[in-house]
Structure formats: structure tokens, C-alpha cells
């Protein structure tokens, strides 16, 4: 049975398309200390995903979104982070415009949240985040493609 499975995976088109191909050597993980649980949030948008979710959404920000506007991100922060887990001390985002704008700045000022941006190019971190995002997208594709 094991040989049959191995043979199937070798010749299955979908298995080859969605196979994990690790090209970078693993790096040592370094834990970040936080003063209390959920005091620091790292936020990144994944998308666009294909195929779209059943409700037409194409982006992921812990929830699926039809579009990733500043208002949508601000609503997510208020409803899904602040209301559920309390006001974080810090949020860390990449430099995307939907995460760095006047609306998000006003929200952070209102709740006294420190908004920090990740560095423009830090291969160790950017590669890890993008690899995780790619894995999430791959899992979704595997689950939705027949």
C-alpha cells in the first residue's frame, strides 16, 4: 500500500503542483518576549487567493476579505483584535498602503497603540513570513481544487 501511495504521488499532477519545495535552509527561531499575551500583533495580508472563497473573498487577514481597504483593516482591528483580546501595546505591519495610512494612524492614536513597520528588506523575516503565507495559500488551494 505504501508503494502504491508513493507511486501515486510521483505521478499525480496536483501533488506535483502543490508539493513543498523548500529552497532556503532553516534558520534558528528566536522567541520575542511580550509583556502580556496578545500585547504585540504582527499583521500581514495574504492574497489574492485562487480560487476565491465561496463568498467571493480573495484576501486573508485572519478573516477572508473581499478587498483590503484602510477601512476594512481598521474595522478588523477594532472588531477582531481590540474587542476580543484587548488593546495591544504594539502592532507590527509591513509597509503596505492598506496597513499604513491616516485611518490606521488615527486608530492607533485613539487607542494608544504603537504602530511599527517591519524593515523594508530583511531576508530572514520577510522570507519566513512569505513562506508561511505561501503555505497557507497552498493548503487552501489543495482543499478547494478537486
Amino acid at each position: 500500500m505504501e508503494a502504491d501511495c508513493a507511486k501515486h504521488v510521483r505521478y499525480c499532477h496536483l501533488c506535483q503542483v502543490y508539493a513543498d519545495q523548500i529552497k532556503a535552509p532553516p534558520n534558528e527561531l528566536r522567541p520575542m518576549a511580550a509583556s502580556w499575551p496578545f500585547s504585540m500583533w504582527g499583521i500581514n495580508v495574504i492574497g489574492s487567493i485562487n480560487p476565491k472563497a465561496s463568498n467571493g473573498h480573495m484576501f486573508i487577514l485572519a478573516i477572508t476579505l473581499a478587498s483590503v481597504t484602510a477601512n476594512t483593516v481598521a474595522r478588523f482591528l477594532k472588531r477582531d483584535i481590540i474587542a476580543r483580546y484587548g488593546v495591544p501595546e504594539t502592532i507590527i505591519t509591513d509597509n503596505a498602503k492598506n496597513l499604513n495610512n491616516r485611518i490606521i494612524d488615527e486608530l492607533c492614536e485613539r487607542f494608544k497603540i504603537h504602530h511599527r513597520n517591519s524593515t523594508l528588506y530583511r531576508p530572514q523575516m520577510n522570507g519566513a513570513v512569505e513562506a508561511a503565507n505561501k503555505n497557507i495559500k497552498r493548503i487552501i488551494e489543495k482543499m478547494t481544487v478537486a
Side-chain angles (χ1 to χ4, degrees), residues 8 29 38 42 48 66 70 77-78 81 85 106 114 119 122 128 132 135 145:
H8 173 75
L29 297 176
F38 304 113
S48 67
L77 286 170
K78 286 188 278 190
I81 293 181
Y85 303 101
E106 289 172 359
H114 296 103
T119 57
R122 183 168 183 255
N135 284 337
V145 175

Side-chain angles (χ1 to χ4, degrees), residues 49 53 55 57-67 72 79 140:
I49 56 172
N55 55 7
H57 292 175
M58 299 179 355
F59 300 92
I60 300 173
L61 176 71
I63 56 172
T64 60
L65 302 169
S67 64
T72 307
R79 186 186 65 202
I140 291 170

Side-chain angles (χ1 to χ4, degrees), residues 36-50:
W36 68 86
F38 304 113
S39 67
M40 186 180 302
W41 285 80
I43 300 174
N44 192 13
V45 175
I46 302 173
S48 67
I49 56 172
N50 187 21

Side-chain angles (χ1 to χ4, degrees), residues 101-116:
N101 53 62
R102 183 183 49 79
I103 294 170
I104 301 300
D105 291 342
E106 289 172 359
L107 178 85
C108 289
E109 187 177 322
R110 178 177 162 202
F111 288 100
K112 306 221 180 333
I113 300 170
H114 296 103
H115 183 190
R116 306 214 191 290

Side-chain angles (χ1 to χ4, degrees), residues 89-143:
E89 181 181 24
T90 306
I91 60 170
I92 302 169
T93 65
D94 61 11
N95 294 289
K97 290 185 190 231
N98 51 12
L99 299 171
N100 292 280
N101 53 62
R102 183 183 49 79
I103 294 170
I104 301 300
D105 291 342
E106 289 172 359
L107 178 85
C108 289
E109 187 177 322
R110 178 177 162 202
F111 288 100
K112 306 221 180 333
I113 300 170
H114 296 103
H115 183 190
R116 306 214 191 290
N117 288 330
S118 59
T119 57
L120 288 176
Y121 184 71
R122 183 168 183 255
Q124 298 91 339
M125 196 62 225
N126 294 346
V129 170
E130 294 308 318
N133 291 351
K134 186 170 76 174
N135 284 337
I136 292 169
K137 288 174 75 171
R138 184 178 297 125
I139 290 166
I140 291 170
E141 289 170 345
K142 281 182 183 178
M143 293 174 62

Side-chain angles (χ1 to χ4, degrees), residues 67-80:
S67 64
V68 189
T69 63
N71 287 324
T72 307
V73 173
R75 185 172 51 246
F76 166 77
L77 286 170
K78 286 188 278 190
R79 186 186 65 202
D80 296 305

Side-chain angles (χ1 to χ4, degrees), residues 22-35:
I22 300 169
K23 295 182 174 107
N27 288 326
E28 180 182 341
L29 297 176
R30 295 189 175 97
M32 294 173 50
S35 32

